[in-house]
C-alpha cells in the first residue's frame, strides 16, 4: 500500500506496512501482527515518542553490552521485519552477534531471517543445537555459541516466559517492550519501554558514543540504573498522557 507522506499517521502506517511485508516475505508470522497491534496501542498512550526513561534504559543497555563477556542480541520475526538493517548495524557497532530465536519455530523461517540479517553484514548464529532447560516453548532451541553461553542477552519483543528462564540461567536480560506492565518488562534487568523502530537507532547512537568510553564510567552507568524506577516512570507517563487528553476534551 502507498502511504501518502502527508498522512497524519504516516510513520505508524509505514511501520505497519513493513510488518505486513515481513509476513508476506515469510519473516514474520500472523501472530506477529497481533503482537504489533498491542505494541501500537501502548505506543499511542505513551505519545509515540522516546521518553527520558527510555533513553536512560537504552544508554544503560548499551553500556552493559559493552561490559559483557559474551553478549548476544536475539532476533525474532517482528524484529527482522521492522529493523533488520538497523539491528545488523547495532550488532556490528557493538561487536555483538545476532541469534535468530523464534516462538513460532520453523527451520525455513530461521533461515530466511538469518539470510536477511547476513545480507546487511551481521554475524548471525542460528544453529539451534542446544536446548535451554526449563523452557517449554520452541524458544528453548538456541545456539551453543549464542544465547546458551551468553552473560548478557538483548531480547526485543519478548513473549513472556523466556525472560524468566533466562534469568534463572543467571543471565542479565535487556528487554524492549512497549508494555511496561508485561511479565517480561517486570522481570528484565533493563526494560526499554520504547518502540523498537526508535529504540534500535537510539542504541546505535549510544553505541558509537560509548564505544570508546572508559570502563569505570560504563560500570557507573549500569550501577546507577534502577529498572523499577524506570517502569514506574513509564506507567506514570501513560497516566499523565491520558489525564492530559481527558483534560483537553
Ligand atoms: O517471530 P516469533 O515466532 O518469535 O514471534 C514473535 C511474536 C512477537 C509474535 C511473539 O514473541 C509474541 O507473541 O509476542 P507477545 O507475547 O505478543 O509479546 C510481544 C510484546 O512486544 C508485547 O508486550 C507488545 O506490547 C510488544 N511490542 C509489540 N510491538 C512492539 C513492541 N514493543 C516495542 N516495539 C514494538 N514495535
Amino acid at each position: 500500500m502507498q502511504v501518502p507522506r502527508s498522512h497524519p499517521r504516516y510513520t505508524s502506517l509505514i511501520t505497519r506496512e513493513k510488518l505486513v511485508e515481513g509476513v508476506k516475505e515469510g519473516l514474520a508470522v500472523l501472530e506477529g501482527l497481533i503482537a504489533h497491534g498491542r505494541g501500537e496501542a501502548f505506543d499511542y498512550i505513551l505519545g509515540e515518542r522516546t521518553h527520558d526513561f527510555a533513553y536512560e534504559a537504552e544508554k544503560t543497555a548499551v553500556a552493559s553490552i559493552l561490559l559483557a563477556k559474551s553478549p548476544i542480541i536475539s532476533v525474532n520475526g517482528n524484529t527482522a521485519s521492522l529493523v533488520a538493517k538497523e539491528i545488523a548495524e547495532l550488532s556490528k557497532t557493538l561487536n555483538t552477534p545476532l541469534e535468530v530465536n523464534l516462538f513460532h519455530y520453523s527451520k525455513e523461517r530461521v533461515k530466511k531471517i538469518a539470510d536477511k540479517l547476513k545480507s546487511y553484514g551481521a554475524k548471525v548464529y542460528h544453529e539451534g543445537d542446544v536446548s535451554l532447560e526449563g523452557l517449554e516453548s520452541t524458544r528453548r532451541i538456541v545456539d551453543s555459541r549464542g544465547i546458551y553461553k551468553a552473560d548478557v542477552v538483548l531480547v526485543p519483543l519478548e513473549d513472556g516466559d523466556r525472560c524468566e528462564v533466562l534469568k534463572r540461567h543467571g543471565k542479565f536480560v535487556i528487554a524492549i517492550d512497549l508494555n511496561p506492565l508485561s511479565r517480561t518488562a517486570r522481570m528484565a534487568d533493563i526494560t526499554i519501554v520504547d518502540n523498537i523502530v526508535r529504540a534500535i537507532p537510539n542504541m546505535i547512537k549510544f553505541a558509537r558514543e560509548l564505544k570508546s568510553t572508559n570502563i569505570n564510567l560504563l560500570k557507573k552507568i549500569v550501577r546507577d540504573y534502577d529498572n523499577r524506577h524506570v517502569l514506574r516512570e513509564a506507567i506514570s507517563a501513560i497516566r499523565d498522557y491520558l489525564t492530559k487528553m481527558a483534560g483537553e476534551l
Side-chain angles (χ1 to χ4, degrees):
M1 189 189 108
Q2 275 289 341
V3 182
R5 271 217 164 260
S6 57
H7 195 289
R9 304 209 41 78
Y10 178 79
T11 310
S12 172
L13 291 177
I14 285 290
T15 308
R16 244 185 219 191
E17 280 308 304
K18 278 191 186 168
L19 200 54
V20 170
E21 281 305 313
V23 172
K24 286 183 188 160
E25 276 179 54
L27 298 171
V29 284
L30 286 173
E31 290 85 343
L33 298 173
I34 301 169
H36 186 73
R38 172 146 27 122
E40 272 188 346
F42 276 100
D43 205 16
Y44 198 91
I45 55 174
L46 276 157
E48 295 176 306
R49 66 180 179 88
T50 303
H51 289 259
D52 285 347
F53 55 78
Y55 281 121
E56 192 191 338
E58 285 155 3
K59 183 176 180 179
T60 311
V62 166
S64 66
I65 291 171
L66 287 169
L67 286 168
K69 282 197 183 74
S70 274
I72 191 85
I73 301 172
S74 180
V75 179
N76 63 15
N78 283 39
T79 303
S81 306
L82 295 175
V83 287
K85 184 166 175 245
E86 294 80 359
I87 211 152
E89 183 62 34
L90 181 67
S91 158
K92 287 185 280 176
T93 313
L94 288 170
N95 200 17
T96 297
L98 304 175
E99 175 167 340
V100 183
N101 183 261
L102 303 180
F103 186 62
H104 308 274
Y105 182 84
S106 87
K107 271 200 171 133
E108 195 195 351
R109 198 155 65 92
V110 169
K111 185 174 179 320
K112 271 193 185 159
I113 294 172
D115 287 348
K116 173 112 187 174
L117 298 168
K118 283 179 193 168
S119 76
Y120 293 113
K123 182 176 185 179
V124 188
Y125 294 152
H126 55 99
E127 215 40 63
D129 55 342
V130 277
S131 244
L132 205 56
E133 217 179 288
L135 198 53
E136 295 289 316
S137 78
T138 51
R139 279 219 193 274
R140 69 178 184 281
I141 306 165
V142 293
D143 192 301
S144 53
R145 298 161 297 173
I147 292 174
Y148 193 73
K149 71 160 198 180
D151 52 349
V152 174
V153 192
L154 171 62
V155 287
L157 279 53
E158 184 61 24
D159 56 77
D161 57 346
R162 181 168 61 144
C163 184
E164 189 175 348
V165 171
L166 290 173
K167 291 289 304 162
R168 237 187 284 142
H169 281 261
K171 299 177 194 303
F172 186 90
V173 180
I174 304 159
I176 302 178
D177 193 338
L178 275 161
N179 177 3
L181 307 169
S182 76
R183 244 159 53 86
T184 297
R186 285 183 293 149
M187 293 212 67
D189 295 283
I190 298 176
T191 309
I192 298 170
V193 184
D194 199 4
N195 197 318
I196 193 168
V197 301
R198 296 189 298 268
I200 300 296
N202 289 341
M203 288 175 79
I204 294 171
K205 281 190 203 138
F206 283 125
R208 289 186 183 135
E209 216 176 283
L210 294 180
K211 235 171 108 166
S212 45
T213 300
N214 111 10
I215 203 166
N216 289 326
L217 191 61
L218 294 178
K219 283 184 179 164
K220 184 173 164 22
I221 293 172
V222 177
R223 208 174 40 239
D224 289 349
Y225 180 81
D226 178 353
N227 205 47
R228 285 163 67 92
H229 175 73
V230 161
L231 288 176
R232 255 183 248 123
E233 292 275 300
I235 295 166
S236 303
I238 291 173
R239 180 201 56 203
D240 294 347
Y241 184 77
L242 294 177
T243 307
K244 179 175 159 274
M245 295 306 276
E248 283 173 8
L249 290 175

